[in-house]
Structure formats: structure tokens, C-alpha cells
Amino acid sequence: FFQAEDGIRDVAVTGVQTCALPISKQKLVKAFVDAILASTEEAEAKALEVMKIAEDMDIDDIEECKREAVSFLNRDIKQDVLH
């Protein structure tokens, strides 16, 4: 992911982006996406990364980031199906 003018954009996918979020939330969204996509062997390490990033965040912010990650993945899947 990298910061785009209008939000976060995945470098490998054009036209799919999340809403603009503060950098700390962007990191958590990316960590959630990575954890969701992780192989079984990587899952524990990815979950720990999510917890480390989220440890000082408000529960509402964490939930927002989780929803944004799932939304991002849903848009990514739809983009793949349409092309």
C-alpha cells in the first residue's frame, strides 16, 4: 500500500482504494488485510502484528479498520471477477 491523494491504493490493483485514513489506521488496515490473506503458517505472526499495531488504539478505530480491510478485499475480488 502507499498513500495516494485520495486514500490508500494497492500498487498491484488499479482503481481499488480505501478511504483516506490517518497513517496509524492505514497500518492497521494493511495488517488486517495481510492477516486475512496469510497462509496457515503465517497466521499467528500476522495476528500478533495486528495486535501490536492496535494495542494503543480505541476499539471503535480498530473495528473501523477491520471493516475497511474486509471492504477493500471485497472490492478487490469484484475487480478480479469483472476483468
Side-chain angles (χ1 to χ4, degrees), residues 44-64:
E44 185 176 350
K46 296 295 182 180
L48 289 172
E49 185 177 340
V50 166
M51 290 175 13
K52 180 181 175 189
I53 294 169
E55 70 184 356
D56 294 326
M57 294 178 84
D58 181 86
I59 189 69
D60 291 334
D61 290 339
I62 295 168
E63 289 298 319
E64 175 189 10

Side-chain angles (χ1 to χ4, degrees), residues 1-73:
F1 291 98
F2 65 93
Q3 177 67 28
E5 219 173 274
D6 54 353
I8 306 169
R9 191 176 298 272
D10 186 296
V11 235
V13 182
T14 59
V16 177
Q17 63 193 29
T18 66
C19 65
L21 293 171
I23 297 297
S24 61
K25 288 184 182 180
Q26 291 176 19
K27 288 179 183 177
L28 185 56
V29 171
K30 183 180 184 323
F32 271 123
V33 169
D34 290 347
I36 292 167
L37 297 176
S39 65
T40 305
E41 296 82 26
E42 299 175 311
E44 185 176 350
K46 296 295 182 180
L48 289 172
E49 185 177 340
V50 166
M51 290 175 13
K52 180 181 175 189
I53 294 169
E55 70 184 356
D56 294 326
M57 294 178 84
D58 181 86
I59 189 69
D60 291 334
D61 290 339
I62 295 168
E63 289 298 319
E64 175 189 10
C65 291
K66 186 172 24 174
R67 285 190 304 273
E68 190 59 42
V70 171
S71 177
F72 173 82
L73 290 169

